[in-house]
């Protein structure tokens, strides 16, 4: 009865692993997690067969014990492999030379090769010689292994898990994607606790059940945390996609209207300009023609701005250095800032900042935010500063644009990225909506972090690399 119950519990990690693949599809990271859960299941089956003396002969139990021991032997290198995949899939492996010396494919291969040697020695008498029947604390007969002279080799292999955990913790600090980072840290801690509880199986007084319960709790908790991580990643990508879809729908509905307006508008503008030159008009008629010209010019400006908005989603991607973009931006916006006696300041927290992007359009976004900041700083304000800061956060490069102006009025904040929302007299209200569309087209976001009497702080987040499936 104990063997059947324990075998069922042992299958739980594998069942959860299959569920992960079914729900979220195949990827390197998913595969590594499922492989880890498979090893845990085999490890617990290895323990379970020691309770099967009423069903199998001693020789059969010994064979199954040696066979299933591959689970506990391969668990440390598979755990190391999970860390390797998380390290490289988050692109941290391309940026951290020190950890890369330990966390690379050759280290993974060597670890698996060593583990295979330990498993092969498991089939010799030197690792463990035989099984002996003993009574556990609850009076159940257990086939307990008697270890041979090479048992120390297996024990040293188990101790290597401490090395793997230390390296994994070092890797966790370098993972940029925050949801993956949170999952991986939880995975490390829960695995360490589970493995330590599992080592109680080495003592007959605490044999089996403590490890079985710990493994089941570990598997269920990591399954739920994995789902939570994947849900958050999906939510973020869906938000970006929804913004892109909304702007594409707006483009589709307005492009046809703009096309139809251009022809009659050109006729109106043409005749309103020719009419005063072709004949003498009385003052009243001349004023009417002048108003028609002003209205047509305004409508022409609206059409041009909408055309810019439509074109803003079309990118010309090249390898772009964000440091260079910011320096060029400050140079281009410097004249307007100096005319208003405003200091433009750049703070750099990162050297490597190259991403696939449309350099011209990103520059347009930052210049637009700087100009907004310049316009927001009143003449009498003694603190006249706009500060740009480039830094890394999670798997993104982030740019802060902070001004010392009067802030954005509260009634406009909720809709400030909506077309035609503006606080500027004569403004079209398309600057921020165009900026948002450009950044969204890069897979990034613009957020208003703070605004008020002490100034406004915008944050642009741009992904270092394309999103990948977890």
């Amino acid at each position: 009865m104990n063997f059947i119950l324990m075998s069922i519990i042992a299958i739980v990690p594998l069942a959860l692993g299959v569920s992960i693949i079914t729900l979220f599809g195949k990827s390197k990271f998913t595969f590594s997690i499922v492989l880890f859960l498979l090893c845990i299941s085999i490890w617990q089956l290895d323990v379970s067969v020691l309770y099967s003396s009423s069903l199998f002969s001693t020789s059969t139990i010994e064979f199954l014990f040696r066979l299933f021991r591959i689970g506990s032997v391969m668990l440390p290198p598979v755990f190391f492999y999970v860390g390797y995949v998380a390290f490289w899939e988050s692109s941290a492996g391309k940026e951290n030379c020190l950890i890369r010396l330990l966390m690379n494919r050759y280290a993974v291969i060597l670890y698996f090769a060593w583990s295979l040697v330990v498993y092969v020695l498991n089939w010799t008498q030197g690792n463990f010689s035989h099984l002996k029947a003993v009574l556990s604390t609850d009076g159940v007969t257990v086939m307990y292994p008697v270890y041979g002279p090479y048992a120390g080799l297996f024990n040293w292999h188990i101790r290597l898990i401490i090395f793997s955990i230390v390296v994994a913790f070092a890797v966790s600090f370098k993972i940029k994607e925050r949801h993956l980072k949170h999952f991986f840290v939880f995975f490390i801690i829960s695995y360490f606790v589970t493995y330590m509880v599992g080592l109680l199986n080495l003592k007959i007084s605490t044999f089996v059940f403590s490890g079985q319960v710990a493994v089941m709790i570990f598997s269920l908790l990591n399954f739920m945390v994995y789902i939570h991580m994947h849900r958050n990643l999906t939510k973020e990508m869906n938000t970006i996609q929804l913004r892109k879809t909304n702007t594409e729908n707006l483009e589709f509905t307005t492009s046809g209207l703009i096309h139809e307006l251009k022809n009659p508008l050109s006729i109106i503008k043409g005749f309103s300009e020719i009419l005063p030159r072709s004949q003498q008009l009385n003052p009243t008629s001349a004023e009417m023609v002048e108003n028609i010209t002003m209205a047509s010019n305004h409508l022409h400006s609206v059409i041009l701005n909408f055309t810019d908005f439509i074109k803003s989603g079309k990118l010309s991607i090249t390898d772009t250095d964000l440091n260079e973009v910011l320096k060029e931006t400050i140079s281009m916006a410097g004249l307007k800032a100096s005319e208003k006696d405003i200091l433009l300041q750049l703070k750099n927290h990162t050297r490597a900042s190259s991403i696939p992007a449309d350099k011209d359009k990103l520059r347009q976004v930052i210049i637009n935010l700087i100009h907004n900041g310049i316009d927001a700083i009143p003449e009498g304000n003694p603190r006249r500063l706009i500060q740009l800061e480039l830094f890394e956060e999670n798997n993104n490069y982030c740019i802060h644009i902070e001004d010392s102006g009067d802030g954005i009025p509260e009634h406009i904040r909720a809709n400030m990225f909506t077309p035609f929302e503006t606080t500027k007299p004569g403004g079209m209200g398309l600057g921020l909506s165009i900026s948002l569309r450009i950044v969204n087209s890069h897979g990034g976001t613009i957020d208003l972090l703070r605004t008020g009497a002490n100034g406004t702080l915008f944050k642009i987040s741009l992904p270092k690399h394309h999103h990948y499936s977890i």
Side-chain angles (χ1 to χ4, degrees):
M1 187 65 183
N2 285 328
F3 168 69
I4 296 174
L5 177 61
M6 291 162 55
S7 297
I8 294 173
I9 295 175
I11 297 299
V12 169
L14 179 59
L16 294 176
V18 172
S19 299
I20 288 175
I21 289 182
T22 304
L23 291 171
F24 307 118
K26 299 176 181 178
S27 70
K28 274 190 176 182
F29 190 71
T30 301
F31 172 77
S32 66
I33 292 294
V34 173
L35 184 61
F36 184 84
L37 292 173
L38 173 62
C39 287
I40 285 185
S41 284
I42 297 174
W43 171 33
Q44 294 308 300
L45 283 174
D46 187 43
V47 177
S48 301
V49 296
L50 298 178
Y51 268 66
S52 62
S53 58
S54 60
L55 300 175
F56 306 118
S57 65
T58 302
S59 59
T60 301
I61 295 173
E62 182 176 318
F63 172 79
L64 292 174
F65 179 72
R66 293 183 190 273
L67 178 67
F68 290 150
R69 211 172 195 198
I70 194 170
S72 58
V73 172
M74 289 297 174
L75 203 54
V78 171
F79 174 79
F80 189 81
Y81 176 67
V82 172
Y84 164 80
V85 173
F87 182 59
W88 285 94
E89 285 291 296
S90 69
S91 303
K94 300 176 182 178
E95 303 163 7
N96 298 276
C97 296
L98 181 60
I99 300 179
R100 196 167 61 205
L101 293 174
L102 296 174
M103 189 66 72
N104 57 68
R105 70 175 65 183
Y106 302 108
V108 172
I109 293 172
L110 183 63
Y111 205 162
F112 272 98
W114 159 260
S115 302
L116 186 61
V117 170
V118 173
Y119 177 67
V120 170
L121 290 175
N122 164 71
W123 290 91
T124 67
Q125 292 294 316
N127 191 276
F128 84 90
S129 57
H130 63 280
L131 298 174
K132 69 175 181 178
V134 297
L135 287 177
S136 65
T137 53
D138 55 359
V140 178
T141 301
V142 182
M143 303 302 294
Y144 196 76
V146 176
Y147 294 95
Y150 300 150
L153 189 66
F154 178 77
N155 293 335
W156 272 108
H157 178 69
I158 297 300
R159 292 187 183 100
L160 277 176
I161 194 60
I162 304 300
F163 163 77
S164 300
I165 288 174
V166 170
V167 174
F169 261 118
V171 165
S172 69
F173 290 107
K174 301 299 180 181
I175 294 176
K176 304 300 182 182
E177 211 301 309
R178 61 191 177 95
H179 301 301
L180 176 60
K181 181 177 184 175
H182 294 163
F183 170 79
F184 190 54
V185 170
F186 179 83
F187 179 79
I188 295 169
I189 295 173
S190 59
Y191 171 57
F192 175 75
V193 173
T194 301
Y195 210 85
M196 291 301 102
V197 174
L199 290 181
L200 295 175
N201 287 338
L202 299 177
K203 294 183 178 181
I204 189 62
S205 59
T206 56
F207 197 54
V208 174
F209 282 109
S210 56
Q212 292 273 319
V213 172
V215 163
M216 186 167 64
I217 294 174
F218 165 84
S219 303
L220 289 171
L221 287 178
N222 276 274
F223 178 73
M224 290 187 289
V225 174
Y226 188 94
I227 291 176
H228 180 72
M229 174 193 70
H230 199 279
R231 185 188 65 182
N232 287 335
L233 286 171
T234 303
K235 184 178 178 180
E236 285 187 358
M237 288 188 284
N238 287 343
T239 300
I240 293 172
Q241 186 59 43
L242 180 61
R243 289 175 178 172
K244 293 176 67 176
T245 301
N246 289 339
T247 53
E248 286 168 1
N249 289 338
L250 181 60
E251 173 187 338
F252 178 77
T253 55
T254 56
S255 57
L257 178 61
I258 289 173
H259 178 74
E260 293 300 323
L261 286 174
K262 279 183 177 180
N263 289 333
L265 177 61
S266 62
I267 295 173
I268 295 171
K269 278 175 59 66
F271 279 116
S272 66
E273 292 170 359
I274 293 172
L275 191 58
R277 297 196 300 265
S278 63
Q279 55 184 293
Q280 187 70 31
L281 299 176
N282 59 52
T284 302
S285 298
E287 185 179 355
M288 292 172 64
V289 172
E290 185 179 350
N291 287 333
I292 292 172
T293 302
M294 290 173 56
S296 61
N297 286 335
H298 176 74
L299 184 56
H300 180 67
S301 176
V302 171
I303 290 175
L304 288 179
N305 277 279
F306 249 118
T307 303
D308 289 340
F309 176 77
I310 291 171
K311 291 179 179 179
S312 65
K314 297 176 175 62
L315 305 180
S316 178
I317 299 296
T318 59
D319 193 33
T320 301
D321 187 338
L322 292 180
N323 278 301
E324 183 180 332
V325 170
L326 291 178
K327 290 175 182 176
E328 292 174 355
T329 300
I330 286 183
S331 176
M332 295 173 68
L335 179 60
K336 183 175 180 178
S338 62
E339 289 176 350
K340 297 289 186 73
D341 194 27
I342 294 172
L343 174 64
L344 283 181
Q345 190 177 75
L346 174 62
K347 292 173 61 177
N348 293 62
H349 287 184
T350 180
R351 293 182 180 177
S353 60
S354 183
I355 62 170
D358 188 318
K359 182 177 182 180
D360 294 332
K361 284 190 167 60
L362 284 184
R363 192 192 301 115
Q364 176 187 346
V365 171
I366 301 168
I367 288 176
N368 182 48
L369 291 173
I370 290 176
H371 284 175
N372 287 347
I374 291 173
D375 294 338
I377 300 175
E379 289 295 334
N381 192 333
R383 186 171 179 267
R384 310 183 66 75
L385 173 67
I386 295 178
Q387 189 174 72
L388 278 67
E389 181 179 9
L390 175 64
F391 60 97
E392 297 179 58
E393 184 179 85
N394 301 322
N395 201 36
N396 299 320
Y397 284 119
C398 299
I399 302 170
H400 276 172
I401 299 100
E402 183 177 11
D403 65 61
S404 57
D406 289 342
I408 300 172
E410 187 173 354
H411 68 277
I412 207 74
R413 294 173 195 171
N415 299 313
M416 63 184 177
F417 290 108
T418 303
F420 302 114
E421 291 287 343
T422 182
T423 58
K424 298 179 182 179
M428 292 300 302
L430 285 173
L432 283 178
S433 59
I434 289 174
S435 298
L436 177 64
R437 188 174 189 208
I438 291 172
V439 174
N440 284 170
S441 296
H442 284 84
T445 59
I446 299 181
D447 298 295
L448 175 64
L449 299 187
R450 185 187 73 247
T451 188
N454 294 322
T456 298
L457 174 61
F458 280 98
K459 176 184 176 184
I460 300 173
S461 299
L462 297 166
K464 292 183 179 181
H465 305 275
H466 295 296
H467 288 284
Y468 56 90
S469 298
I470 294 297

